[in-house]
Amino acid sequence: MSGTFVGMPAFPKAAHDAVHNETLRGNLRHATHTIRAKRANAVAELSDWAELREAGKRIKDHTLRHLDRYLVQLEEAVTAAGGTVHWAADADEANRIVADLVKATGESEVVKVKSMATQEIGLNEALEAEGIRAYETDLAELIVQLGKDRPSHILVPAIHRNRGEIRDIFRKEMSEWGRPAPEGLTDTPAELAEAARLHLREKFLRAKVGISGANFMIAETGTLVVVESEGNGRMCLTLPETLISVVGIEKILPTWRDLEVFLQTLPRSSTAERMNPYTSMWTGTSDGGAEAGDGPRHFHLVLLDNGRTDTLADEVGRQALRCIRCSACLNVCPVYERAGGHAYGSVYPGPIGAILSPQLRGTASDIDASLPYASSLCGACYEVCPVAIDIPEVLVHLRERVVEGGPVTREGNKVVLQPAKGHAAERAAMRAARWAFTHPGVLRSGQRLASRTRRLHPRTLPGPGQAWSGSRDLPAVPAEPFRDWWQRTNGGKTEKGTSK
Amino acid sequence: MRVALFLTCVNDTLYPDTGRAVVKLLTRLGVEVDFPMAQTCCGQAHYNTGYRHEAEPLARHFSDVFGDYEAIVTPSGSCGAMVRELYPRMGERARAEGRGDTLAATLAPVVQRTYELTEFLVDVLGVTDVGAYYPHQVTYHPTCHGLRGLGLGDRPRRLLQAVKGLELVELPGAEECCGFGGTFALKNADVSTAMGVDKVRNAESTGAEVLCAADNSCLMHIGGTMTRAGSDMRPVHLAEILASTEKEPAA
């Protein structure tokens, strides 16, 4: 299946198709507007939301500042409780570690809890190449997997699908992967959920290996936390003998008490719930003697870097690592609503994807160089972010990296990026405009020329201006710029009919 | 009181009527308005497109032109937010790059003394009823940088509600971006247009004659979308409504 995003076109091209797909736009509009309104209500219930947001931001910033110390503490705690910790510098290393761990169990299939980290590294595809089949068990991930599709939302990967499409996918594809869809399946939510339940239950009961991510890792106790709505995650976390958790290194929290903040802000921001229906926590393994924790029989934690320490090295961009993957920014973003999640060419779409992906992957590819521009900088994402990531600030910072280049850290080394190709004309125009704007006489001459020739102006523009005039009329240039009126009338004092 | 009008390059070049309206309005309220002729552009387009190093000289130029005034008033939420929100950030970045505090110190006076028009009216002059008369149905679009950047809150609405003859109609999805976003309108024209079309559709559903906002850049995009769609609605800058009186009504 095509779960990865290799070779994606730049954002504007990918968005073009989505904008003109009426079904997709309808699905997205309906889904984002519904959750947007619910989230606003859930947040309004808490009188201390602003304080919780500030606390979340501070806890995350503190943790990131001392990440090395807390990661070592976590490793010690997980190990003491009977788990095994593995360190993965990049996607390839993480995939290899997981594949080897699965092979060592003698199994050739695994069940998966919904996980952004394993999507990010393309784990399912890597396992398939090793002859291991990974079954997604989250309902939306199941729809994406059966539909040979890509996720388009952090929390609701199949947000771009409606019920009719899901029914068709179940009918057509379920038999390929296990128990077929019931005869005469309709598109009512209850029937669709029951079909998925029957299909998945067989897999839960058979699987010997589970693979998960984690929403949080607690350094002081070595505890991992997964929050979810369906209970499928809990089945994967408790039924298999071996659990392999792949988690980004930034998901750490220093203490158990810190959870207090995020278990309030995450569910309200993501699903507009006061509390997640399922909160699962596990520490190490359950059969490791006196020191044992309460996890599965065998537990492996794969700590994933994959560009995170490089991101941490950037003073402005590092705030993206505060993200708790709630997806509130996606649901409120007017660009995401029209362009759809696939246009972002990453498992992290929307505003957070536009700042996270070009940092984790670098800005060398067309898609990654275009992502910082996939925003009108309206600021709605910053307003809803429960850890106060100033996404517009990071977007502009990354734009600067694309057009001007500059120092960055890649794979732990300081390098100086050259300006990206394809911006030469824009750069020249910006320089020329800066020159004119620092010479007021030049600006004035230009304005006068535009006013005098106004009857000759074409209704549509050539070159890059076509992007404007293809869909919007240009304003008419006035007969006289303001500054000429000001000078001619002495600020309106000598003009007839102007009040004083 | 004597203030400097920072009109913005877009208004100066394309929307001189807005500038004349601000002068008329402030003069009527007893404020002496000056228009420093050397003013040009705040550098927002440069900064937001990633050309921070091209924007810095424009910020310095702004500071040279406006540094001596006790108040600087602008009829643009986004250009006002550029000065107030992003100039300090440029100063911080310059310091982080080892260029000392010079830029921050140079910009500090203009950062503190720059007001968006509705802030100046409500907070500094302390008026919400500016004696305006505008007998039309109006719907109000709070622009993103005014709403979320400067936090203008209900100031523009309070000013509109006090206008004699004006009927204010709620705009559905008012707080959603119109899709302009400076160079975003060119770089992502498809998405920008889709956002604009939705904004116009929402505006038309109100049945109002006029769509009002306090930023002509957004109105240029919305208005251009309206005329292309053959809409009868007119985009009008807030200043032109507030400047309108029974004696001299605006069109």
Side-chain angles (χ1 to χ4, degrees):
Chain A
M1 66 167 264
S2 53
T4 52
F5 290 89
V6 179
M8 279 290 293
F11 183 84
K13 191 172 182 306
H16 172 85
D17 299 332
V19 162
H20 295 98
N21 180 338
E22 290 297 327
T23 309
L24 175 67
R25 270 186 70 185
N27 294 349
L28 279 170
R29 182 177 168 76
H30 175 72
T32 55
H33 280 250
T34 307
I35 187 75
R36 195 185 292 183
K38 282 189 182 170
R39 179 211 153 267
N41 290 335
V43 165
E45 281 182 355
L46 291 184
S47 58
D48 59 347
W49 183 260
E51 288 83 1
L52 281 169
R53 186 176 188 244
E54 181 64 22
K57 173 188 170 181
R58 285 189 187 196
I59 291 168
K60 279 282 183 181
D61 279 350
H62 166 85
T63 313
L64 291 170
R65 201 173 307 124
H66 304 286
L67 195 61
D68 49 348
R69 175 151 63 85
Y70 287 121
L71 282 168
V72 170
Q73 192 188 1
L74 175 82
E75 182 181 31
E76 286 168 1
V78 170
T79 308
T84 310
V85 176
H86 311 260
W87 299 81
D90 57 25
D92 287 345
E93 193 175 5
N95 287 331
R96 198 163 53 242
I97 291 168
V98 176
D100 288 346
L101 288 169
V102 177
K103 280 192 211 161
T105 67
E107 293 296 317
S108 61
E109 55 181 41
V110 299
V111 288
K112 283 186 69 201
V113 189
K114 178 177 162 1
S115 149
M116 295 309 298
T118 59
Q119 284 278 7
E120 176 189 324
I121 61 177
L123 179 65
N124 290 6
E125 293 74 18
L127 290 178
E128 198 173 287
E130 301 276 344
I132 301 163
R133 206 162 205 200
Y135 295 113
E136 293 291 348
T137 66
D138 173 84
L139 180 54
E141 287 288 358
L142 175 70
I143 294 163
V144 168
Q145 186 173 44
L146 293 176
K148 299 180 181 63
D149 199 357
R150 293 165 172 160
S152 70
H153 189 280
I154 288 173
L155 199 78
V156 207
I159 194 171
H160 56 294
R161 299 290 200 184
N162 62 34
R163 294 188 331 216
E165 291 175 308
I166 293 167
R167 178 204 52 209
D168 295 344
I169 290 169
F170 279 11
R171 277 183 179 171
K172 192 158 164 270
E173 305 291 342
M174 264 186 172
S175 58
E176 282 286 303
W177 291 79
R179 185 185 175 117
E183 283 291 316
L185 177 69
T186 74
D187 68 352
T188 59
E191 279 195 36
L192 293 174
E194 182 63 9
R197 191 167 167 272
L198 293 169
H199 180 83
L200 288 171
R201 179 121 322 188
E202 290 185 0
K203 289 174 183 157
F204 290 135
L205 293 173
R206 197 172 64 210
K208 296 278 188 281
V209 181
I211 293 180
S212 84
N215 292 94
F216 306 103
M217 305 184 287
I218 311 298
E220 66 174 353
T221 57
T223 305
L224 273 72
V225 183
V226 159
V227 293
E228 43 141 359
S229 299
E230 298 171 4
N232 294 345
R234 179 164 291 179
M235 301 283 256
C236 295
L237 295 167
T238 51
L239 288 172
E241 289 172 7
T242 301
L243 177 63
I244 304 165
S245 301
V246 183
V247 191
I249 52 173
E250 84 284 13
K251 293 273 175 149
I252 207 163
L253 296 176
T255 69
W256 187 265
R257 176 137 194 213
D258 296 322
L259 269 178
E260 170 197 2
V261 172
F262 301 99
L263 291 185
Q264 293 183 77
T265 52
L266 177 56
R268 283 176 198 266
S269 301
S270 57
T271 50
E273 289 167 307
R274 292 171 182 147
M275 199 177 158
N276 290 94
Y278 294 88
T279 301
S280 302
M281 306 188 181
W282 66 101
T283 309
T285 58
S286 51
D287 61 353
E291 293 290 306
D294 55 8
R297 282 178 62 192
H298 310 287
F299 173 59
H300 295 273
L301 171 60
V302 182
L303 290 169
L304 176 71
D305 187 317
N306 206 31
R308 284 162 174 77
T309 50
D310 290 344
T311 304
L312 196 56
D314 188 284
E315 268 181 56
V316 178
R318 67 172 60 136
Q319 58 185 306
L321 296 177
R322 280 188 218 138
C323 177
I324 55 174
R325 312 284 190 261
C326 73
S327 72
C329 63
L330 277 65
N331 298 329
V332 80
C333 177
V335 177
Y336 175 87
E337 184 188 325
R338 273 92 184 174
H342 291 152
Y344 294 81
S346 158
V347 295
Y348 304 108
I352 186 64
I355 62 168
L356 200 53
S357 302
Q359 295 201 86
L360 295 179
R361 303 192 298 208
T363 47
S365 71
D366 281 353
I367 181 72
D368 287 315
S370 70
L371 285 177
Y373 295 95
S375 167
S376 65
L377 304 179
C378 83
C381 50
Y382 177 34
E383 192 175 57
V384 296
C385 178
V387 283
I389 302 169
D390 191 339
I391 294 175
E393 178 186 26
V394 182
L395 286 167
V396 170
H397 176 66
L398 294 175
R399 290 176 185 189
E400 185 182 328
R401 181 176 298 175
V402 171
V403 297
E404 292 191 340
V408 294
T409 306
R410 292 312 295 168
E411 290 169 16
N413 301 312
K414 290 228 181 276
V415 292
V416 176
L417 289 184
Q418 293 303 306
K421 291 191 181 95
H423 291 266
E426 178 186 270
R427 195 174 302 115
M430 287 289 176
R431 274 190 196 145
R434 185 260 296 149
W435 180 77
F437 286 142
T438 44
H439 297 79
V442 176
L443 172 65
R444 193 170 187 188
S445 308
Q447 287 173 329
R448 283 183 174 166
L449 182 67
S451 287
R452 276 191 207 127
T453 58
R454 68 199 193 103
R455 308 230 175 270
L456 308 173
H457 292 181
R459 279 185 59 83
T460 52
L461 291 170
Q466 279 172 348
W468 180 279
S469 58
S471 55
R472 289 152 288 197
D473 288 334
L474 287 162
V477 175
E480 183 182 49
F482 177 85
R483 66 181 64 226
D484 284 1
W485 171 83
W486 178 270
Q487 206 166 37
R488 183 169 59 78
T489 65
N490 191 19
K493 290 186 186 75
T494 60
E495 190 176 57
K496 228 176 126 183
T498 297
S499 60
K500 287 199 287 179
Chain B
M1 186 172 194
R2 186 160 168 270
V3 305
L5 169 60
F6 164 45
L7 186 56
T8 82
C9 57
V10 168
N11 287 329
D12 181 13
T13 309
L14 294 173
Y15 299 98
D17 287 352
T18 297
R20 287 199 282 271
V22 176
V23 174
K24 183 176 162 186
L25 170 67
L26 291 179
T27 307
R28 189 170 84 218
L29 295 169
V31 177
E32 193 187 334
V33 183
D34 192 11
F35 179 82
M37 290 294 279
Q39 68 176 280
T40 55
C41 165
C42 63
Q44 187 191 180
H46 292 79
Y47 185 88
N48 280 349
T49 313
Y51 297 90
R52 178 167 56 96
H53 292 105
E54 302 290 342
E56 274 187 21
L58 297 180
R60 284 206 176 84
H61 179 77
F62 185 95
S63 179
D64 290 344
V65 172
F66 289 102
D68 292 336
Y69 287 91
E70 77 183 289
I72 304 145
V73 180
T74 182
S76 162
S78 62
C79 302
M82 176 68 195
V83 176
R84 283 248 301 277
E85 201 187 5
L86 302 180
Y87 279 10
R89 199 167 281 173
M90 284 167 76
E92 281 166 35
R93 292 291 298 150
R95 183 163 45 210
E97 286 166 6
R99 290 187 279 137
D101 289 341
T102 338
L103 185 65
T106 308
L107 300 180
V110 292
V111 169
Q112 287 154 12
R113 292 176 208 152
T114 298
Y115 301 90
E116 188 274 339
L117 177 66
T118 67
E119 284 179 318
F120 182 75
L121 294 172
V122 175
D123 299 354
V124 180
L125 298 186
V127 289
T128 48
D129 184 349
V130 296
Y133 170 73
Y134 195 75
H136 301 282
Q137 265 202 338
V138 175
T139 192
Y140 174 69
H141 167 59
T143 60
C144 300
H145 291 171
L147 181 75
R148 286 178 279 263
L150 290 174
L152 295 182
D154 64 352
R155 292 178 185 86
R157 298 173 55 86
R158 281 161 60 200
L159 288 159
L160 283 171
Q161 274 159 349
V163 173
K164 216 171 134 192
L166 186 146
E167 189 193 337
L168 191 60
V169 201
E170 271 318 307
L171 175 65
E175 299 191 353
E176 286 170 33
C177 177
C178 71
F180 174 59
T183 48
F184 173 76
L186 301 176
K187 286 176 181 283
N188 281 288
D190 287 309
V191 180
S192 166
T193 300
M195 290 161 71
V197 166
D198 287 347
K199 179 60 73 181
V200 170
R201 197 173 296 150
N202 280 335
E204 294 216 303
S205 76
T206 65
E209 304 153 60
V210 166
L211 176 100
C212 165
D215 210 316
N216 274 329
S217 303
C218 312
L219 287 174
M220 177 172 72
H221 165 71
I222 298 172
T225 308
M226 278 177 176
T227 56
R228 184 63 60 96
S231 168
D232 292 333
M233 231 177 162
R234 289 180 295 131
V236 176
H237 193 285
L238 177 74
E240 293 172 44
I241 292 177
L242 299 182
S244 173
T245 57
E246 279 184 87
K247 218 169 109 190
E248 288 180 86

